[in-house]
Structure formats: structure tokens, C-alpha cells
Amino acid sequence: MKRMITMSMVLLISLVSLTFAGDADRDQLFKQGVSAYVGEDYQHAIALFSQLEKTKKVSWELYYNLGNSYYRNGELGNAIRYWEKAKIIAPSHSDIDHNLLIAEKYIIDKVVLPDMFPLFKWYKQMQRQLSLSLNIQIIGALLLILILTLGYIRQAGRRKSKNYKATYITVLSVFLVIITLFSLITIDTAQRRKNEKYAIILENSVEILSEPTKDAIVLFILHEGSKVKVNKNIEDLWSNISYFDDKVGWIHRSAIGEIEE
Amino acid sequence: MVKIRGKIGLISIILLFSVMLWGQRVTCTVSKSSFSMQEQVQITFTFEDIKNSPRSVDLKLHNAFSVIGGPYSSTNYSWVNGKSTSTNKVSYDIIAKKSGKILVPAYEFKIKNQVYNTDPIALMVSKSAKIDALDPSIDIPTMFMETVLNKNRVYQGETFSLYYFLYTAENVVNYTTAPLNTLDGFIVDKFDLSNSPKSSKKVINGKEYLIAGIASLTLTPTQSGEFILAQKPFRISVKRSGQARTVFDDPFFGTNTKDINIVAPSDTITVLPLPASAGSAFTGAIGEFTMKVALDSTVIYENQATALKVELTGSGNLEHFTFPQQAFPEGFEVFEPKVKNNYKLKDKDYSGLRSWEYVLIASKPGTFHFDDIAFTYFSPEEEKYITLRSPVKDLRVISHNELEGDYKTALTPDEVRVLSKDIRFIQMGEGKIYDVSYDPVKDHKNWMIYYIAILFILFFIALEIIWKIRMNNMKQIRYKNALKTALTRFHKINDEQEPKHILLEIETAFIDYLHDKQLKDDVHADIPDIKKTIETYKYSPGMLSHVQLNQLKDQALGLIEDIEKV
């Protein structure tokens, strides 16, 4: 029995040490990446941060730093791609928004869209600023508040032998409207995340073709940094993309970097 | 003889007509012969014993007076010694437009071929005196208005304001006036009837007045010259104590609300013409301004857009001018400027910011030089034109060949700094770490709050069930103890108690018993009888005897016994 306890203890300590050792290594690597960036060795910084990315454990800070390193290294497409990745995890972080805004100035392909209907604009903004996790949590919190409020009203009514039916219905209606609104945003965001894939053009200038063959007709040209929607992929060779919904064509997969892989 | 008779008859008829005409006359009166321009007076025409007298009069006073109310008409009939007389009055509320001696002319009325004349009336109208300088001997009204201009002399295009102050010694509950949307020679920027005006107190000639700025008018003149800003009528509702006169007045508190028409006096503004030689950079701006000019970026690529932003900050007629036409170097496609307004109409004029953003798209490479941005405004304080000038940095447009050949060098940190803004610094450490395949929908932590919510739902359901069980138990307990409780109550009753009290005890014991046992009236034929007896006794508590009550008690107890047997 004693041996078993000792063995278990050793195993547990080893596991904990391994975990912390892993964390320490990661931390070390991240700091090395930061040092390389500060020392203006951007290629080395990219290599170090990419090494962390390969562990399949990521953070918005890692993506953000990769974006900055690519930007300083003159790779606008990759910079935008990684900032977009960071934005999925931390949608409302101002540093990411700021950098994306700066990067937009360098994008050659510019499309001026007409002003959206204010409500639709607000909806899009909400969708962009709130992460899926936060949305789920907000709805949960609203539900919890609703249940506690209704419970309190019921108990108070019973204690005072009064009927708070009107208050009950008002609270219920107001909360249901807000919860429905947030639920719509959440469901829409989740659906879009699931069904819509986006990518960034990584090459300086790339031709978008009518068919997935080299000899196809050139439909239009896109430049580095432009964001496209990936409709479908043919193995690792070709991707069918659309640019602002109305322009659709084929591009070589190596010319784009998908935001969500 | 016949002739004499005929003469007598003719004389009699003439005399009769003379008597009939003796009392017929028309008079014109004014309620006050000496008053100020702020006071409302009444002009009345009285038609005595004249049939078919008019219900309105053409006043012909438009040059000297404004009619603000009327015609009000009233008729009085009286019988003296069997003879009837009638008086018809037609009145108007008027207010003087000018000061000095004003003559109300003689009026002529032609009614049924008969001509009636009134006498002319001389009136003395004093000017709207400055409130502080009122002669103490003058009896000033309990309510009047004052018009105050924030500037007495403005330049054409210079925004100014007119304030309407109400002086009142009465309890004002409401006020209204017609909104003013247009005025010849002016742009009406705003007419504001204040909902909650600031007020102060002032004693004038021993009378305490509450002073409130109830309305204001902001104007921008479009022509030069002397302008009279006309009188403005207001309707003021005041609450006065005294006997209520109509059913609509407050009959319980002895107060009534009365509407009073009052006029704010006119005032004169001098609008000066703007001096000549304004220059091409003047587009009508009057006030005090500062200018800021910024080019979005000084290095751009061919076909890329940049923006030139001009920002004007200050106060004046911000609403009424646009930015002067600008000339840009060749090689740019220039769009209509995007105008942003962030100014407000404050006390006297507009103040805040206006900006014009010109979007420029470079169509060819090179280095471009811009002319200085110039803007001229007229300063009323300094009484001269002032021109603001701001240089614009040269703009370098890089060609696409340069872009493709040496792209990396074009985006070095130094180059980025040239573009005036740089990216933000990297993050020094990591926060929360996620798996690449992380899906927020599948993360239980995100759903934790829902589990808590479900727990609370269960908790409240449990509370509901417990409450219902407890209520059922209460019913059962009361059912079991019904007889015991009723008997205890009945035993407590004794003859020393007052009949009223005994009746109440019997009623409580009996009714509670039925309730606890959950019995309805149709269970036993005697239940309605006893209830009826109790109700009957309640209406004559003073006539109740102990004997009657004891009988009732026994009857109730007997019934309970019967029920218990069943």
C-alpha cells in the first residue's frame, strides 16, 4: 500500500513538473521571440513565434506578435492574416484594430462600399466586437439575472400576499427581447464561423482565373493583403474564392493564407 | 278744426320720434388714457338703445396699435318703469406699437339711415422703459415683458440672439407663443420657448417680481440696414386665488387659472454691411476661428488615396458658410469634400468645429507641391478681415514598379514613420492559451453560467413545491382542529361581554369553522339561516339582547354538532 502511494506521488509530481516545464519552455521561447523583434531581427522573431504556433497551443498575443513581425519584415499579407487570427480570439482589442487599420492603407485593392443601414451596421459591429465565447456568456448571464429576478418577484409577492403579475410580465418581456437579440447574433456568428472561411492574398500581385487551370482566362487581379472568401478547395492546389461577393474565381492555394485553418 | 287736429298729430309723431331717439347714442372708451407700450388696454364701443348695432368694428388703428384680442361683444337689457333699454358693447384688447401721444379717431356708424358719431380720444403711451429706471410714481403692471438683444449692432451675416424676459408678480403656470420660422431680412436659426427657464427675483417699485427668460430667438441677418424686430405676443396662464367662477376652474381650492395676453416689446437692430475687398478666400464666415490642416500621409502609392483634412474651430456663423474652393496640383483625382459638423448653437452663436476632408487619388508618380490652404473670415471684434494660411507638406507618390521591385525597403520602420502613424508595439507575454481546434461552443466553461441558471430554476421549483405542500398541510391541520377551535371560541363567550362583541365572536367562530371544514352553504339547510340571522343582527346591535344571542349561539353549536355527527 505504502509503495502504491509513493508511486502515485512520484507520478503526480513528474506530471506537474512536466507541465510546468512545458510552460516554462513556452514562456522562454516567447521571450526570445520578443527579444529578436526588439533587436529588429524580424525573421528570427517569425521563426521563434512560428515554433510556438506549431505546438497547436495559441494565444491572441502570439498571433499579434507574428503579425507585427511579418509587417516589419515587409510581408503585408501574412501580417494581416495573423492580426485577423488574433482578432478572432480577442475581437475587441484596440491594438489589433489599430494595426489592421494601418495595414489597410497599404492594400492596393480598395473597394468603397455604400453606407450600411444604421441598424445593420450596429449589428455587424456587435458581431465583430464580441467573441463567440463572450456572446455565450452574456446570454447565460442575462438568463441567470432573469431567473433570479423572477424568483425574487415571486417570493416577494408571496411574502407580501401581493400579485406582481404586471411586473413579472414586463421583466420577462424586456429580458426575452434582449436575450433573443444576443442569441441571434451568437447563432449567426457561430454559423458564419462554421460555414465561411476567409483568406488573405500573400503574393504581391495575383491573377484570379476563370477555371482551376494555368491556361484559364484572367478574370481580375488582386494584390497582397486583400481579404477573400474561400468557397471551396481542390486539394492543395486550387481555391475558389470570392472578393466582395460579386467577383468569383480560382486562385492557386499557395498565393493565399487562410485565416482559420 | 281738422287742420288743427292734423298739426297736433304731426307734432305728436315728431315728439314721439324725438323721445325714441333721445336715448340712442354710440360712445368709444379706452380702459386707460395713459399707459406703457408693454401694457394691454381695452377699447370699447357702446351702442345704447340701437337696434341692429354691429358686432364688430373696423378699428383703423393698425399703425398705432396691434389688436391682440376681440371682438368681445355683450348685450344688456333693463326695464325701468315698464320701458326697456338695451346696451350693446363691442370691445378689443389692444397694445400700442409706438410711444407718444396717440389719437383714437372719431368713429362714424350708419345704422338704419341714422348716423352716430363718437368723440376722438387722446392717449399717452410711454416707451418701454428700462426696468431699473422706472419712475417710482408709475404703477407698473403685475406682469410685463422685456426684450433684450445680446448685440445692438451686428454685421451682415453675424449671428445674434434676442431674449424674451417675463417679469411677473403672479403665479405663472404656463406660457405659449406662436413659433417664429421666418423673418424678412434674417435667417431664423432657432426660436426656443424654454420649458424650464432659470429665474431670479427683483424688487421694482416695492413690488417683488420673478424674472424668467422664457424664450429666445437666434437670427442671422442677410441684409444691412436698421431693422425693427417686431413685438411678440405671448399667452401666459396664471393661477389666481379667489372664488372659482366656472366649473372648469378648481372648485375645491378656490383658485382659478386665467390666460393673459401679453406682448414683448419690439427692439431695433442695426445691421452693418461688410467692408469691401474680402478676397477670394472669404465665403461669408464671421466670428473668431482657428484652422488646422493635415495631410493623411506624405508618401502614397500610385492609385492610392490620401486625405487632406481642414478643420475649423471657433465661434460665429458656422452654419452659414462653406469652405473656399481649393486648387490641387494636376495628377490627382479629387472628390467632393466630406463635411463633418460638430458644433452647437449656444447662447449667442454657433461654436464648435467643422471639417472638410478632400479625398485625393494619385494618378501618376512624382513629388507634388500643394498651395497653402487659405481661409478668410471677418472678425466683428477687430472689425476687419483675417486670413488664416496653412502650408501643406509635399506628397510623394511611388509608382507600382518601385513597389514591386523594392517592396521590402518601402515598408521599413522608417518609411512607416514617414506615414505619420505606426503599428503598435508587440505583446510582452501571453495570457490565456487555447488549443488551435478550440471551439467556444464546445467549451464547458462558457456554459457554466447556464448550469448555475438551471440550478436556480430547480431551486425555485423546489421552493414552489414546498410552499404548495405547506399550504395543503395548513388546510389539513385546520380541518382537523376546526371543531376544537370553534368550541374554544364559543366557550369564551359570556354574558358580561357587550352584545356587539358577542355577535362578532359567534360569527367568527361559526364562519371560521365552515371555512376550516371547507363546507359550502348547501351542505346543511340551517347554514344560510344562521348566516342570515347574523347579518340581520349586525344592523341592530343596540337592540340585541343576551337571550337572542344565546339562542343564536346554541343554534350554531347545534348545527356544528349535526355536521360533526355526519
Side-chain angles (χ1 to χ4, degrees):
Chain A
M1 184 69 182
K2 265 188 181 177
R3 190 182 286 173
M4 268 186 77
I5 293 170
T6 319
M7 286 269 283
S8 308
M9 287 296 282
V10 168
L11 199 69
L12 192 74
I13 289 165
S14 319
L15 268 170
V16 170
S17 322
L18 267 170
T19 314
F20 278 101
D23 280 355
D25 284 350
R26 184 181 177 87
D27 203 32
Q28 194 63 31
L29 213 56
F30 192 86
K31 278 181 180 158
Q32 279 173 15
V34 171
S35 301
Y37 181 91
V38 174
E40 295 186 10
D41 188 355
Y42 302 122
Q43 282 184 350
H44 189 46
I46 292 168
L48 290 165
F49 288 132
S50 299
Q51 217 175 311
L52 282 175
E53 195 198 1
K54 278 173 194 155
T55 62
K56 303 278 178 194
K57 299 277 178 198
V58 292
S59 63
W60 77 263
E61 291 92 343
L62 175 69
Y63 284 148
Y64 175 83
N65 286 2
L66 260 167
N68 277 28
S69 307
Y70 274 118
Y71 180 83
R72 292 285 190 231
N73 203 39
E75 294 175 56
L76 184 68
N78 267 320
I80 293 172
R81 181 187 174 206
Y82 277 97
W83 285 328
E84 287 280 359
K85 275 173 176 270
K87 199 166 168 60
I88 292 171
I89 304 174
S92 54
H93 204 285
S94 65
D95 284 358
I96 307 169
D97 284 338
H98 175 86
N99 287 4
L100 278 169
L101 208 72
I102 297 275
E104 265 175 30
K105 286 175 189 276
Y106 295 97
I107 300 172
I108 294 165
D109 313 307
K110 288 195 193 303
V111 173
V112 180
L113 293 171
D115 276 348
M116 273 190 266
F117 180 63
L119 200 72
F120 192 63
K121 201 173 170 181
W122 173 84
Y123 177 80
K124 283 276 167 199
Q125 215 169 341
M126 286 281 282
Q127 212 171 27
R128 222 174 137 71
Q129 293 298 318
L130 299 175
S131 68
L132 196 54
S133 304
L134 191 63
N135 263 332
I136 296 169
Q137 284 166 14
I138 287 173
I139 298 166
L142 286 168
L143 265 175
L144 186 62
I145 295 167
L146 173 67
I147 290 159
L148 290 175
T149 314
L150 294 183
Y152 175 78
I153 294 168
R154 177 87 177 122
Q155 292 304 317
R158 197 179 290 155
R159 213 175 301 129
K160 292 176 184 171
S161 302
K162 280 185 182 173
N163 192 356
Y164 290 115
K165 206 172 175 181
T167 322
Y168 209 79
I169 291 166
T170 312
V171 170
L172 193 68
S173 321
V174 170
F175 269 86
L176 282 182
V177 168
I178 303 169
I179 288 169
T180 311
L181 196 74
F182 271 97
S183 302
L184 280 174
I185 297 173
T186 312
I187 293 165
D188 192 29
T189 312
Q191 284 295 320
R192 276 172 192 273
R193 267 192 70 161
K194 201 178 165 189
N195 303 329
E196 293 178 8
K197 299 281 175 204
Y198 288 90
I200 305 291
I201 306 286
L202 300 178
E203 289 179 7
N204 281 344
S205 177
V206 62
E207 292 172 342
I208 314 298
L209 307 170
S210 60
E211 287 171 18
T213 54
K214 277 184 184 175
D215 305 325
I217 301 163
V218 178
L219 295 174
F220 56 99
I221 295 170
L222 285 176
H223 296 89
E224 188 177 13
S226 295
K227 194 175 178 179
V228 292
K229 192 168 146 186
V230 181
N231 302 321
K232 60 182 165 192
N233 292 321
I234 299 179
E235 295 171 346
D236 271 352
L237 288 172
W238 295 96
S239 290
N240 182 272
I241 57 124
S242 45
Y243 183 65
F244 283 98
D245 289 337
D246 60 339
K247 287 185 174 181
V248 182
W250 292 90
I251 190 171
H252 207 275
R253 273 199 85 176
S254 60
I256 55 168
E258 286 186 13
I259 295 167
E260 279 181 286
E261 285 154 48
Chain B
M1 187 68 187
V2 173
K3 271 187 181 177
I4 293 166
R5 266 191 199 169
K7 276 180 184 172
I8 291 168
L10 188 69
I11 290 163
S12 303
I13 291 164
I14 291 165
L15 273 173
L16 189 69
F17 268 102
S18 305
V19 168
M20 278 172 74
L21 289 169
W22 180 254
Q24 290 182 328
R25 62 178 183 151
V26 182
T27 50
C28 172
T29 50
V30 177
S31 58
K32 273 183 179 178
S33 61
S34 176
F35 50 92
S36 76
M37 279 177 75
Q38 295 138 6
E39 272 184 88
Q40 173 190 325
V41 290
Q42 200 167 55
I43 183 164
T44 308
F45 296 89
T46 312
F47 301 87
E48 288 177 42
D49 260 351
I50 300 172
K51 280 183 183 173
N52 299 323
S53 61
R55 299 281 161 188
S56 63
V57 176
D58 181 10
L59 282 180
K60 297 171 195 162
L61 289 171
H62 302 302
N63 291 332
F65 289 94
S66 298
V67 178
I68 57 167
Y72 311 115
S73 145
S74 66
T75 309
N76 264 338
Y77 291 97
S78 58
W79 290 84
V80 180
N81 297 332
K83 192 190 165 194
S84 79
T85 53
S86 71
T87 311
N88 179 31
K89 283 184 179 180
V90 178
S91 324
Y92 291 88
D93 288 331
I94 54 169
I95 193 139
K97 280 184 186 174
K98 59 184 185 186
S99 60
K101 194 176 176 183
I102 300 174
L103 196 73
V104 176
Y107 287 86
E108 191 184 272
F109 297 93
K110 204 171 182 181
I111 304 163
K112 282 197 172 178
N113 299 327
Q114 194 69 35
V115 177
Y116 303 93
N117 287 304
T118 64
D119 294 329
I121 306 166
L123 300 172
M124 199 60 213
V125 181
S126 59
K127 209 178 174 184
S128 71
K130 272 276 166 210
I131 305 309
D132 291 326
L134 277 174
D135 183 348
S137 61
I138 294 173
D139 183 23
I140 52 171
T142 54
M143 193 186 292
F144 59 91
M145 291 204 71
E146 189 186 16
T147 310
V148 177
L149 276 166
N150 73 326
K151 292 166 193 171
N152 287 314
R153 205 185 66 138
V154 292
Y155 281 93
Q156 189 181 327
E158 186 184 349
T159 307
F160 69 96
S161 291
L162 185 72
Y163 302 97
Y164 297 104
F165 287 96
L166 173 70
Y167 284 67
T168 177
E170 297 207 51
N171 185 11
V172 174
V173 288
N174 196 15
Y175 47 82
T176 55
T177 186
L180 192 80
N181 300 320
T182 53
L183 193 64
D184 280 350
F186 297 91
I187 297 168
V188 177
D189 291 284
K190 191 172 88 171
F191 178 74
D192 183 33
L193 186 70
S194 176
N195 289 326
S196 49
K198 283 180 186 170
S199 62
S200 59
K201 281 182 179 172
K202 195 171 188 177
V203 176
I204 304 164
N205 290 1
K207 209 181 269 181
E208 191 181 69
Y209 285 86
L210 198 73
I211 308 161
I214 59 169
S216 67
L217 175 66
T218 308
L219 302 166
T220 306
T222 53
Q223 297 163 19
S224 59
E226 284 267 317
F227 291 92
I228 296 169
L229 300 163
Q231 296 165 321
K232 180 93 184 112
F234 285 81
R235 181 171 287 238
I236 316 284
S237 302
V238 294
K239 208 167 200 176
R240 284 176 179 164
S241 56
Q243 201 179 351
R245 281 177 293 178
T246 69
V247 286
F248 302 108
D249 296 332
D250 184 350
F252 299 104
F253 298 96
T255 58
N256 62 76
T257 306
K258 195 183 178 192
D259 286 342
I260 296 168
N261 292 318
I262 192 164
V263 171
S266 60
D267 212 332
T268 309
I269 183 99
T270 308
V271 182
L272 304 168
L274 286 168
S277 67
S280 61
F282 179 72
T283 51
I286 298 169
E288 301 298 329
F289 305 98
T290 55
M291 182 173 71
K292 232 163 69 179
V293 176
L295 194 61
D296 200 27
S297 41
T298 50
V299 179
I300 57 168
Y301 303 110
E302 206 181 326
N303 293 325
Q304 195 186 334
T306 187
L308 177 80
K309 196 173 178 183
V310 183
E311 208 172 88
L312 277 182
T313 314
S315 64
N317 60 347
L318 274 161
E319 170 89 2
H320 303 302
F321 66 88
T322 184
F323 200 73
Q325 204 74 36
Q326 296 302 310
F328 293 98
E330 271 184 37
F332 285 96
E333 193 185 345
V334 185
F335 293 89
E336 274 296 300
K338 200 166 147 188
V339 185
K340 274 188 187 167
N341 299 322
N342 188 16
Y343 56 81
K344 274 184 183 169
L345 183 58
K346 295 209 169 158
D347 275 353
K348 48 183 184 174
D349 51 23
Y350 295 91
S351 72
L353 178 153
R354 275 192 97 175
S355 71
W356 291 263
E357 194 176 325
Y358 298 85
V359 177
L360 317 166
I361 295 178
S363 57
K364 61 180 184 184
T367 302
F368 295 88
H369 176 74
F370 289 82
D371 290 341
D372 286 359
I373 301 291
F375 170 73
T376 304
Y377 68 91
F378 182 78
S379 166
E381 266 180 37
E382 294 183 38
E383 299 192 321
K384 64 176 185 184
Y385 289 105
I386 294 170
T387 301
L388 303 171
R389 279 185 190 283
S390 184
V392 183
K393 282 182 182 174
D394 287 353
L395 180 64
R396 191 181 148 214
V397 180
I398 303 167
S399 77
H400 279 303
N401 298 336
E402 254 181 280
L403 180 80
E404 279 174 16
D406 192 14
Y407 180 66
K408 283 180 186 175
T409 49
L411 280 174
T412 59
D414 287 342
E415 283 257 342
V416 173
R417 261 175 230 121
V418 172
L419 285 165
S420 77
K421 275 182 180 177
D422 197 4
I423 57 165
R424 292 201 177 146
F425 198 60
I426 52 166
Q427 303 297 319
M428 303 306 282
E430 280 185 297
K432 198 176 175 186
I433 296 165
Y434 297 87
D435 198 273
V436 172
S437 58
Y438 172 76
D439 184 355
V441 180
K442 289 175 186 165
D443 186 357
H444 284 287
K445 280 178 200 161
N446 288 334
W447 298 99
M448 196 61 85
I449 205 155
Y450 292 82
Y451 305 145
I452 298 168
I454 290 166
L455 282 178
F456 270 104
I457 290 173
L458 293 174
F459 171 72
F460 285 120
I461 290 170
L463 274 185
E464 197 69 27
I465 293 166
I466 291 167
W467 183 77
K468 280 198 173 153
I469 292 169
R470 195 181 284 172
M471 288 308 290
N472 275 337
N473 286 346
M474 284 289 288
K475 277 183 186 171
Q476 281 176 12
I477 292 164
R478 288 179 76 167
Y479 183 89
K480 279 181 189 171
N481 294 338
L483 179 65
K484 199 176 159 186
T485 314
L487 289 176
T488 313
R489 278 182 177 160
F490 278 119
H491 285 307
K492 276 183 186 170
I493 298 167
N494 58 60
D495 289 348
E496 285 168 19
Q497 288 171 321
E498 277 183 36
K500 198 172 144 186
H501 185 74
I502 294 169
L503 181 67
L504 186 71
E505 282 291 316
I506 294 169
E507 186 191 11
T508 315
F510 182 65
I511 301 293
D512 281 359
Y513 172 80
L514 294 175
H515 180 256
D516 291 349
K517 281 278 180 188
Q518 295 164 41
L519 297 172
K520 289 182 180 168
D521 287 5
D522 53 4
V523 171
H524 198 287
D526 287 351
I527 294 175
D529 289 345
I530 294 173
K531 277 187 175 177
K532 204 173 171 183
T533 314
I534 291 168
E535 286 303 314
T536 315
Y537 284 179
K538 269 187 193 172
Y539 288 102
S540 53
M543 295 169 77
L544 282 174
S545 68
H546 281 96
V547 179
Q548 280 175 307
L549 289 168
N550 279 332
Q551 273 176 0
L552 180 67
K553 182 180 141 189
D554 292 341
Q555 203 182 340
L557 276 169
L559 178 63
I560 290 170
E561 205 179 331
D562 285 353
I563 291 166
E564 286 296 324
K565 274 179 191 170
V566 175

